[in-house]
Amino acid sequence: MLISFKPLKKTFTPIGSITLFAVITIILGCLKIGYFVGFSECLSATEGVFPVTHAVHTLLQVYFLWGHAKDIIQSFKTLERFGVIHSVFTNLLLWANSVLNESKHQLNEHKERLITLGFGNITIVLDDHTPLCNCTPPTLCSAISHGIYYLYPFNIEYQILASTMLYVLWKNIGRKVDSHQHQKMQFRSHGVMLGSVLGLTALAATIGVVVVYLIWIGRSKTRSESALIMFYLYAIILLMLMGAAGLAGIRIYRLDEQSLDESKNPARKLDADLLVGTASGSWLISWGSILAILCAESRPPYTWYNLPYSILVVVEKYIQNLFIIESIHREPEKLSKDIRTLQVVTVCNGNATSLPSSCFESRPAAGDVAPQGSEMPHAANGNMCLREVGSKEEEEKSWEGALGPACHPHFLQGNAQRRVLRNIAAFLFLCNISLWIPPAFGCRPEYDNGLEEIVFGFEPWIIVVNLAMPFSIFYRMHAAASLFEVYCKI
C-alpha cells in the first residue's frame, strides 16, 4: 500500500527522548525474560512470550516514529486514522499495565518506610509477589527482580511519550500546511550566563538532595524526617525562584505590545493542551496533600513543610504554563516590527502637540516612508507630528494610540529584552530538568510523607499517586522541550 507523506514543518517530535526510553524498555524486557527463565517451573508461558513481543513492538514503533513522526498522511486517511489511534490506545493499555506492576513492588517498600516514620497503625497484609518455586542462582534472580522495578518508571514514560507522538500523527492526518508557517529556529548560547549558572546550580543541588534523600529515607525515624524536611525546603526555594522568573517573563511580554499570532496551528495548540493536561497530574496530588494537612487529626512537624510545597507546585506550574503559552504565541520579531513601523507621516497645522524626541529616534521607519522637501513642513513650534491615516474614527484617536507602542516607556527594549527572556528560558529549562530527576529516580515524598495514607487510606492514595505521577514526570520533560523551543525562538 502506497502512502503519500507531506513533511510537517514544525511539530512535537522528541525523538531523542523516546529512543532513550525505548532502549531502557528493551533492557527491561530482557530482564523479564531472565526472570522467566529463573522461575520457569511455576510461571505461565505468557510471562516469557509477552516481553519478547513487547520488545519487537517497541523496536518497530520507534523505527516508525523515527521515519514518519514529522509526516502528514494524505492517502488512505480513514484506514490510517484507525491504525494510528489503535496504536495510541495500545500504548495507553501498556502504560496502565506498567503502573500496576510497579505498584505491586512499591506497596511493600513504602509500607516499610511509613512504619519507620512511626505510622504503625497502617495494617495491610501484602506479599512480595515472588513465585512459589525456587530460582537458581538466588542472588542473580534477586538482582533481576530489583532491576525490573527500578526500570519501570522509564517504561511508563516511554508509553506516555509514544502515545503523545502517535496522537500528534493521528491529529495531523489530512492536514493542510502552509509553507509560510515555518520559522527556522537558531540556538544562541551567548548572553545567557546568569540563567545558565543559576540553572546548573539548581541541577547540582538536585543531584545532591536526591542522593542524600535516597540514603536517609527509611533508615530511622530521625533521618527519614530530616530527609523529608530537606527535600521540602529545597523544592520550596526552587519553585519560588521559578515562579518569580516566570512572572518576570510574563511582565516583560505584557509591557511589550507586540502582536500575538492568532493563526491556527495544531502543533502549537497541542503543546499548550499537553502542558495543561499533564500538569493536572501533579495538581491532583498537591490538592490531595493540602486536604490531608487540613483534615488530619494530628500532624507531625515535618508535614507542615508539605503545605507551602504543595501550594507552590500548583502556582508555579500555572505561571510557567502562562509564560510558555505566551511565548509560543508571539509573532516573529522581524515581522511584528515591520508591521508596527508602517506609519504615515503627516503635518499638523496650527497648534501641534509637542512630542518627545525619543519617539522620533525610535521610529526611523516612519521617516523613511515620509515625503521629502516641501511635503514635510514643520509645525510652528518646531515639532513634527505622526498620525496613522485611516477612517475618521481612527483619526480622532488620541496621540498615544496613534503613536503606537514605540512611544510608550519600556523597561527593556531590543536586545536587552531578548537577553533577559533568553536567561529566563534557560533557567526554567534547567530547573525543569532538575525537577524531573527526583521522581524519575525514586525520590517521591508523596509516597513517604505518610499523612495522606492516614487520611485517605493506604491503597487509595498509592493508586492516585501511581496514576498521577507519570503525568507529572512527563510534564517536566515536555515543559523543558517547550522552553528550549522558546529559547531558540527569542
Coordinates of all heavy atoms in Angstrom, one line a residue, residues 99-172:
V99 N 2.1 0.6 35.3 CA 1.7 1.3 36.5 C 1.3 0.2 37.6 O 1.7 0.3 38.7 CB 0.6 2.3 36.3 CG1 0.1 2.8 37.6 CG2 1.2 3.5 35.5
L100 N 0.5 -0.8 37.1 CA 0.0 -1.8 38.1 C 1.2 -2.6 38.6 O 1.3 -2.9 39.8 CB -1.0 -2.7 37.3 CG -1.6 -3.8 38.2 CD1 -2.3 -3.3 39.4 CD2 -2.5 -4.7 37.3
N101 N 2.1 -3.1 37.7 CA 3.2 -3.9 38.1 C 4.1 -3.1 39.0 O 4.7 -3.7 40.0 CB 4.0 -4.4 36.8 CG 3.2 -5.4 36.0 OD1 2.4 -6.1 36.6 ND2 3.4 -5.4 34.7
E102 N 4.4 -1.8 38.7 CA 5.2 -1.1 39.6 C 4.6 -0.9 41.0 O 5.3 -0.9 42.0 CB 5.5 0.3 39.0 CG 6.5 1.1 39.8 CD 6.6 2.6 39.3 OE1 5.6 3.0 38.7 OE2 7.6 3.2 39.5
S103 N 3.3 -0.7 41.0 CA 2.6 -0.5 42.3 C 2.8 -1.8 43.2 O 2.8 -1.6 44.4 CB 1.1 -0.3 42.1 OG 0.9 0.9 41.3
K104 N 2.8 -2.9 42.7 CA 2.9 -4.2 43.5 C 4.2 -4.1 44.3 O 4.3 -4.5 45.4 CB 2.9 -5.4 42.6 CG 1.6 -5.7 41.9 CD 1.7 -6.9 41.0 CE 0.4 -7.2 40.2 NZ 0.6 -8.3 39.3
H105 N 5.3 -3.6 43.6 CA 6.6 -3.5 44.4 C 6.6 -2.4 45.3 O 7.1 -2.5 46.5 CB 7.7 -3.4 43.3 CG 9.0 -3.1 43.9 ND1 9.8 -4.1 44.6 CD2 9.8 -2.0 44.0 CE1 10.9 -3.6 45.0 NE2 10.9 -2.3 44.7
Q106 N 6.0 -1.3 45.0 CA 6.0 -0.1 45.8 C 5.2 -0.2 47.1 O 5.5 0.4 48.1 CB 5.6 1.1 45.0 CG 6.6 1.6 44.0 CD 6.0 2.7 43.1 OE1 4.8 2.9 43.1 NE2 6.9 3.4 42.4
L107 N 4.2 -1.0 47.1 CA 3.3 -1.1 48.3 C 4.1 -1.6 49.5 O 4.0 -1.0 50.6 CB 2.1 -2.0 48.0 CG 1.0 -1.4 47.1 CD1 0.0 -2.5 46.7 CD2 0.4 -0.2 47.7
N108 N 4.8 -2.6 49.3 CA 5.6 -3.1 50.4 C 6.7 -2.2 50.8 O 7.0 -1.9 52.0 CB 6.2 -4.5 50.1 CG 5.2 -5.6 50.2 OD1 4.3 -5.6 51.0 ND2 5.4 -6.6 49.4
E109 N 7.4 -1.6 49.8 CA 8.6 -0.7 50.1 C 8.1 0.5 50.9 O 8.7 0.9 51.9 CB 9.2 -0.3 48.8 CG 10.4 0.6 48.9 CD 11.0 1.0 47.6 OE1 10.6 0.4 46.6 OE2 11.8 2.0 47.6
H110 N 7.0 1.1 50.5 CA 6.6 2.3 51.2 C 5.9 2.0 52.5 O 5.9 2.9 53.4 CB 5.6 3.1 50.3 CG 6.3 3.6 49.0 ND1 7.4 4.5 49.1 CD2 6.1 3.4 47.7 CE1 7.8 4.7 47.8 NE2 7.0 4.1 47.0
K111 N 5.3 0.9 52.6 CA 4.8 0.5 53.9 C 5.9 0.4 55.0 O 5.8 0.9 56.1 CB 4.1 -0.8 53.9 CG 3.5 -1.3 55.2 CD 2.8 -2.6 55.1 CE 2.3 -3.1 56.5 NZ 1.8 -4.5 56.5
E112 N 7.1 -0.2 54.6 CA 8.2 -0.2 55.5 C 8.7 1.1 55.9 O 9.1 1.4 57.0 CB 9.3 -1.1 54.8 CG 9.0 -2.5 54.6 CD 10.1 -3.3 53.8 OE1 11.0 -2.6 53.4 OE2 9.9 -4.5 53.6
R113 N 8.8 2.1 54.9 CA 9.2 3.4 55.2 C 8.3 4.1 56.1 O 8.7 4.9 57.0 CB 9.4 4.2 53.9 CG 10.5 3.8 53.0 CD 10.6 4.6 51.7 NE 11.7 4.2 50.9 CZ 12.0 4.8 49.7 NH1 11.3 5.8 49.3 NH2 13.0 4.3 49.0
L114 N 7.0 3.9 55.9 CA 6.0 4.6 56.8 C 6.1 4.0 58.2 O 5.9 4.8 59.2 CB 4.6 4.4 56.3 CG 4.3 5.1 54.9 CD1 2.9 4.7 54.4 CD2 4.4 6.6 55.1
I115 N 6.3 2.7 58.4 CA 6.5 2.2 59.7 C 7.7 2.8 60.4 O 7.7 3.1 61.6 CB 6.6 0.6 59.6 CG1 5.3 0.0 59.2 CG2 7.0 0.0 60.9 CD1 5.3 -1.5 58.9
T116 N 8.8 3.1 59.6 CA 9.9 3.7 60.1 C 9.6 5.1 60.7 O 10.2 5.6 61.7 CB 11.0 3.8 59.1 OG1 11.3 2.5 58.6 CG2 12.3 4.4 59.6
L117 N 8.7 5.8 60.0 CA 8.3 7.2 60.4 C 7.3 7.1 61.6 O 7.0 8.2 62.1 CB 7.6 7.9 59.3 CG 8.6 8.5 58.2 CD1 7.8 9.0 57.0 CD2 9.5 9.6 58.8
G118 N 6.9 6.0 62.0 CA 6.0 5.9 63.2 C 4.6 5.7 62.9 O 3.7 5.7 63.8
F119 N 4.2 5.4 61.6 CA 2.8 5.2 61.2 C 2.6 3.7 61.3 O 2.4 3.0 60.4 CB 2.5 5.7 59.8 CG 2.6 7.1 59.7 CD1 3.8 7.8 59.3 CD2 1.5 7.9 60.0 CE1 3.8 9.1 59.2 CE2 1.6 9.3 59.9 CZ 2.8 9.9 59.5
G120 N 2.5 3.2 62.6 CA 2.4 1.8 62.8 C 0.9 1.3 62.6 O 0.7 0.1 62.6
N121 N 0.0 2.2 62.6 CA -1.4 1.8 62.5 C -1.9 1.5 61.1 O -3.0 1.2 60.9 CB -2.3 3.0 63.0 CG -2.1 4.3 62.3 OD1 -1.0 4.5 61.7 ND2 -3.0 5.2 62.5
I122 N -0.9 1.5 60.1 CA -1.3 1.1 58.8 C -1.1 -0.4 58.7 O 0.0 -0.9 58.7 CB -0.4 1.8 57.7 CG1 -0.6 3.3 57.7 CG2 -0.6 1.2 56.3 CD1 0.3 4.0 56.8
T123 N -2.2 -1.1 58.8 CA -2.1 -2.6 58.8 C -2.7 -3.2 57.5 O -3.9 -3.3 57.4 CB -2.9 -3.1 60.0 OG1 -4.3 -2.6 59.9 CG2 -2.3 -2.6 61.3
I124 N -1.8 -3.4 56.6 CA -2.2 -4.1 55.3 C -1.3 -5.3 55.1 O -0.1 -5.1 55.1 CB -2.1 -3.1 54.2 CG1 -3.0 -1.9 54.4 CG2 -2.5 -3.8 52.9 CD1 -2.9 -0.8 53.3
V125 N -1.9 -6.4 54.9 CA -1.1 -7.6 54.7 C -0.8 -7.7 53.2 O -1.7 -7.8 52.4 CB -1.9 -8.9 55.1 CG1 -1.1 -10.1 54.8 CG2 -2.3 -8.8 56.6
L126 N 0.5 -7.6 52.9 CA 0.9 -7.7 51.5 C 2.0 -8.8 51.4 O 2.8 -9.0 52.3 CB 1.6 -6.3 51.1 CG 0.6 -5.1 51.1 CD1 1.5 -3.9 50.8 CD2 -0.4 -5.3 50.0
D127 N 2.0 -9.4 50.2 CA 3.0 -10.4 49.9 C 4.1 -9.7 49.0 O 3.9 -8.6 48.5 CB 2.5 -11.7 49.3 CG 1.7 -11.4 48.0 OD1 2.1 -10.5 47.2 OD2 0.6 -12.0 47.8
D128 N 5.2 -10.4 48.8 CA 6.2 -9.9 48.0 C 6.1 -10.3 46.5 O 7.0 -10.0 45.7 CB 7.6 -10.3 48.5 CG 7.7 -11.8 48.6 OD1 6.8 -12.5 48.3 OD2 8.8 -12.3 49.1
H129 N 5.0 -11.0 46.2 CA 4.7 -11.3 44.8 C 5.8 -12.2 44.2 O 6.0 -12.2 43.0 CB 4.5 -10.1 43.9 CG 3.5 -9.1 44.5 ND1 2.2 -9.4 44.4 CD2 3.7 -8.0 45.2 CE1 1.5 -8.4 45.0 NE2 2.4 -7.5 45.5
T130 N 6.5 -13.0 45.0 CA 7.5 -13.9 44.5 C 6.9 -15.2 44.2 O 6.1 -15.7 44.9 CB 8.6 -14.0 45.5 OG1 9.2 -12.8 45.9 CG2 9.8 -14.9 45.0
P131 N 7.3 -15.8 43.0 CA 6.7 -17.2 42.7 C 7.1 -18.2 43.8 O 8.0 -18.0 44.5 CB 7.4 -17.5 41.4 CG 7.7 -16.2 40.8 CD 8.1 -15.3 41.9
L132 N 6.2 -19.2 43.9 CA 6.4 -20.2 44.9 C 7.6 -21.1 44.7 O 8.1 -21.7 45.7 CB 5.1 -21.1 45.0 CG 3.8 -20.3 45.4 CD1 2.6 -21.2 45.3 CD2 4.0 -19.5 46.7
C133 N 8.0 -21.3 43.5 CA 9.2 -22.2 43.2 C 10.5 -21.5 43.5 O 10.5 -20.2 43.6 CB 9.1 -22.7 41.8 SG 9.1 -21.5 40.5
N134 N 11.6 -22.2 43.5 CA 12.9 -21.7 43.7 C 13.6 -21.3 42.4 O 13.3 -21.8 41.3 CB 13.8 -22.7 44.4 CG 13.3 -23.0 45.8 OD1 12.7 -22.2 46.5 ND2 13.4 -24.3 46.3
C135 N 14.5 -20.3 42.5 CA 15.2 -19.8 41.4 C 16.7 -20.0 41.6 O 17.2 -19.8 42.7 CB 14.9 -18.3 41.1 SG 15.9 -17.6 39.8
T136 N 17.4 -20.4 40.6 CA 18.8 -20.7 40.7 C 19.5 -19.9 39.6 O 19.1 -19.9 38.5 CB 19.1 -22.2 40.5 OG1 18.6 -22.6 39.3 CG2 18.6 -23.0 41.7
P137 N 20.6 -19.1 40.0 CA 21.1 -18.9 41.4 C 20.2 -17.8 42.1 O 19.8 -16.9 41.4 CB 22.5 -18.4 41.2 CG 22.5 -17.8 39.8 CD 21.5 -18.5 39.0
P138 N 20.0 -17.9 43.4 CA 19.1 -17.0 44.1 C 19.6 -15.5 44.0 O 18.8 -14.6 43.9 CB 19.1 -17.5 45.5 CG 19.5 -18.9 45.4 CD 20.5 -19.0 44.2
T139 N 20.9 -15.3 44.1 CA 21.4 -13.9 44.1 C 21.1 -13.2 42.8 O 20.7 -12.1 42.7 CB 22.9 -14.0 44.3 OG1 23.2 -14.7 45.5 CG2 23.5 -12.5 44.4
L140 N 21.3 -13.9 41.7 CA 21.0 -13.4 40.3 C 19.6 -13.1 40.2 O 19.2 -12.0 39.7 CB 21.5 -14.3 39.3 CG 21.3 -13.8 37.8 CD1 22.0 -12.5 37.6 CD2 21.8 -14.9 36.8
C141 N 18.7 -14.0 40.6 CA 17.3 -13.8 40.5 C 16.8 -12.6 41.3 O 15.9 -11.8 40.9 CB 16.5 -15.0 40.9 SG 16.8 -16.5 39.8
S142 N 17.4 -12.4 42.5 CA 17.0 -11.3 43.3 C 17.5 -9.9 42.7 O 16.7 -9.0 42.7 CB 17.7 -11.4 44.7 OG 17.4 -10.3 45.5
A143 N 18.7 -9.9 42.1 CA 19.1 -8.7 41.4 C 18.3 -8.4 40.2 O 17.9 -7.2 40.0 CB 20.6 -8.9 41.0
I144 N 17.8 -9.4 39.4 CA 17.0 -9.2 38.3 C 15.6 -8.6 38.7 O 15.1 -7.7 38.1 CB 16.8 -10.5 37.5 CG1 18.1 -10.9 36.8 CG2 15.7 -10.4 36.4 CD1 18.0 -12.2 36.1
S145 N 15.1 -9.2 39.8 CA 13.8 -8.8 40.3 C 13.8 -7.3 40.7 O 12.9 -6.5 40.4 CB 13.4 -9.6 41.5 OG 12.2 -9.2 42.0
H146 N 14.9 -6.9 41.4 CA 15.0 -5.5 41.8 C 15.2 -4.6 40.6 O 14.7 -3.5 40.6 CB 16.1 -5.3 42.8 CG 15.8 -5.8 44.2 ND1 15.9 -7.1 44.6 CD2 15.3 -5.1 45.3 CE1 15.5 -7.2 45.9 NE2 15.2 -6.0 46.3
G147 N 16.0 -5.0 39.7 CA 16.3 -4.2 38.5 C 15.1 -4.0 37.7 O 14.9 -2.9 37.1
I148 N 14.2 -4.9 37.6 CA 12.9 -4.8 36.8 C 12.1 -3.6 37.4 O 11.6 -2.8 36.6 CB 12.1 -6.1 36.9 CG1 12.7 -7.2 36.0 CG2 10.7 -5.8 36.4 CD1 12.1 -8.5 36.1
Y149 N 12.0 -3.5 38.7 CA 11.1 -2.5 39.3 C 11.7 -1.1 39.2 O 11.0 -0.1 39.2 CB 10.7 -2.9 40.7 CG 9.8 -4.1 40.7 CD1 10.3 -5.3 41.2 CD2 8.5 -4.0 40.3 CE1 9.4 -6.4 41.2 CE2 7.7 -5.1 40.3 CZ 8.1 -6.3 40.8 OH 7.3 -7.4 40.8
Y150 N 13.1 -1.1 39.2 CA 13.7 0.2 39.1 C 13.6 0.8 37.6 O 13.8 2.0 37.4 CB 15.2 0.1 39.5 CG 15.4 0.1 41.0 CD1 15.9 -1.0 41.6 CD2 15.0 1.2 41.8 CE1 16.1 -1.0 43.0 CE2 15.2 1.2 43.1 CZ 15.7 0.1 43.8 OH 15.9 0.1 45.1
L151 N 13.4 -0.1 36.6 CA 13.3 0.4 35.3 C 11.9 0.7 34.8 O 11.7 1.2 33.8 CB 13.9 -0.7 34.3 CG 15.4 -1.0 34.4 CD1 15.8 -2.0 33.4 CD2 16.2 0.3 34.2
Y152 N 10.9 0.3 35.7 CA 9.5 0.6 35.3 C 9.2 2.0 35.1 O 8.4 2.4 34.2 CB 8.6 0.0 36.4 CG 8.1 -1.4 36.0 CD1 8.3 -2.5 36.8 CD2 7.3 -1.6 34.8 CE1 7.8 -3.7 36.5 CE2 6.9 -2.9 34.5 CZ 7.1 -3.9 35.4 OH 6.7 -5.2 35.0
P153 N 9.7 3.0 35.9 CA 9.4 4.4 35.6 C 9.8 4.9 34.2 O 9.1 5.6 33.6 CB 10.2 5.2 36.7 CG 10.4 4.2 37.8 CD 10.5 2.8 37.1
F154 N 10.9 4.3 33.7 CA 11.3 4.7 32.3 C 10.4 4.1 31.3 O 10.1 4.7 30.2 CB 12.8 4.3 32.1 CG 13.7 4.9 33.0 CD1 14.1 4.3 34.2 CD2 14.2 6.2 32.8 CE1 15.0 4.8 35.0 CE2 15.1 6.8 33.6 CZ 15.5 6.1 34.8
N155 N 9.9 2.9 31.5 CA 9.0 2.2 30.6 C 7.7 3.0 30.6 O 7.0 3.1 29.6 CB 8.8 0.8 31.1 CG 7.7 0.1 30.3 OD1 6.7 -0.3 30.8 ND2 7.9 -0.1 29.0
I156 N 7.2 3.5 31.8 CA 6.0 4.2 31.9 C 6.1 5.5 31.1 O 5.2 5.9 30.3 CB 5.7 4.5 33.3 CG1 5.3 3.2 34.1 CG2 4.5 5.6 33.5 CD1 5.1 3.4 35.6
E157 N 7.3 6.2 31.2 CA 7.4 7.4 30.4 C 7.5 7.1 28.9 O 7.0 7.9 28.1 CB 8.8 8.1 30.8 CG 8.7 8.7 32.2 CD 7.6 9.7 32.4 OE1 7.4 10.6 31.6 OE2 6.8 9.5 33.4
Y158 N 8.1 6.0 28.5 CA 8.1 5.6 27.1 C 6.7 5.5 26.6 O 6.3 6.0 25.5 CB 8.9 4.4 26.9 CG 8.6 3.7 25.5 CD1 9.2 4.3 24.4 CD2 7.8 2.6 25.4 CE1 9.0 3.7 23.1 CE2 7.6 2.1 24.1 CZ 8.2 2.6 23.0 OH 7.9 2.1 21.8
Q159 N 5.8 4.8 27.3 CA 4.4 4.6 26.8 C 3.7 5.9 26.7 O 2.9 6.1 25.7 CB 3.7 3.7 27.8 CG 4.4 2.3 28.1 CD 4.5 1.5 26.8 OE1 3.9 1.7 25.8 NE2 5.4 0.4 26.9
I160 N 3.8 6.8 27.6 CA 3.2 8.1 27.5 C 3.7 8.9 26.4 O 2.9 9.5 25.6 CB 3.3 8.9 28.9 CG1 2.6 8.2 30.0 CG2 2.8 10.3 28.7 CD1 2.8 8.8 31.3
L161 N 5.0 8.9 26.2 CA 5.6 9.7 25.1 C 5.2 9.1 23.8 O 4.9 9.9 22.8 CB 7.1 9.7 25.3 CG 7.9 10.7 24.4 CD1 7.4 12.1 24.5 CD2 9.4 10.6 24.7
A162 N 5.2 7.8 23.6 CA 4.8 7.2 22.4 C 3.3 7.5 22.1 O 3.0 7.8 20.9 CB 5.1 5.7 22.4
S163 N 2.5 7.4 23.1 CA 1.1 7.7 22.9 C 0.9 9.2 22.4 O 0.1 9.5 21.5 CB 0.3 7.5 24.2 OG 0.4 6.2 24.6
T164 N 1.7 10.1 23.0 CA 1.6 11.5 22.6 C 2.0 11.7 21.2 O 1.3 12.4 20.4 CB 2.4 12.4 23.5 OG1 2.0 12.1 24.9 CG2 2.3 13.8 23.2
M165 N 3.1 11.2 20.8 CA 3.6 11.3 19.4 C 2.7 10.7 18.4 O 2.5 11.3 17.3 CB 5.0 10.8 19.3 CG 6.1 11.5 20.1 SD 7.7 10.8 20.0 CE 8.1 11.2 18.3
L166 N 2.1 9.6 18.7 CA 1.2 8.9 17.8 C -0.1 9.7 17.7 O -0.7 9.8 16.6 CB 0.9 7.5 18.2 CG 2.1 6.5 18.0 CD1 1.8 5.2 18.8 CD2 2.3 6.2 16.5
Y167 N -0.5 10.3 18.8 CA -1.7 11.2 18.8 C -1.5 12.4 17.9 O -2.4 12.8 17.2 CB -2.1 11.6 20.2 CG -3.3 12.5 20.2 CD1 -4.6 12.0 20.1 CD2 -3.1 13.9 20.4 CE1 -5.6 12.9 20.1 CE2 -4.2 14.8 20.4 CZ -5.4 14.3 20.3 OH -6.5 15.1 20.3
V168 N -0.3 13.0 18.0 CA 0.1 14.1 17.1 C 0.0 13.7 15.6 O -0.6 14.4 14.8 CB 1.5 14.7 17.4 CG1 1.9 15.7 16.4 CG2 1.5 15.2 18.8
L169 N 0.5 12.5 15.3 CA 0.5 12.0 13.9 C -1.0 11.7 13.5 O -1.4 12.0 12.4 CB 1.3 10.7 13.9 CG 1.4 10.0 12.5 CD1 2.2 11.0 11.6 CD2 2.2 8.7 12.6
W170 N -1.8 11.2 14.4 CA -3.2 11.0 14.1 C -4.0 12.3 13.9 O -4.8 12.4 13.0 CB -3.9 10.2 15.2 CG -5.3 10.0 15.1 CD1 -6.0 9.1 14.3 CD2 -6.4 10.8 15.8 NE1 -7.4 9.2 14.5 CE2 -7.6 10.2 15.3 CE3 -6.4 11.8 16.7 CZ2 -8.8 10.7 15.8 CZ3 -7.6 12.3 17.1 CH2 -8.8 11.8 16.7
K171 N -3.6 13.3 14.7 CA -4.3 14.6 14.6 C -4.0 15.3 13.3 O -4.8 16.0 12.7 CB -3.9 15.5 15.8 CG -4.7 16.7 16.0 CD -6.0 16.5 16.6 CE -6.7 17.8 16.9 NZ -8.1 17.5 17.4
N172 N -2.8 15.0 12.8 CA -2.3 15.7 11.6 C -2.7 15.0 10.3 O -2.3 15.4 9.2 CB -0.8 15.9 11.6 CG -0.4 17.0 12.6 OD1 -1.1 18.0 12.8 ND2 0.7 16.8 13.3

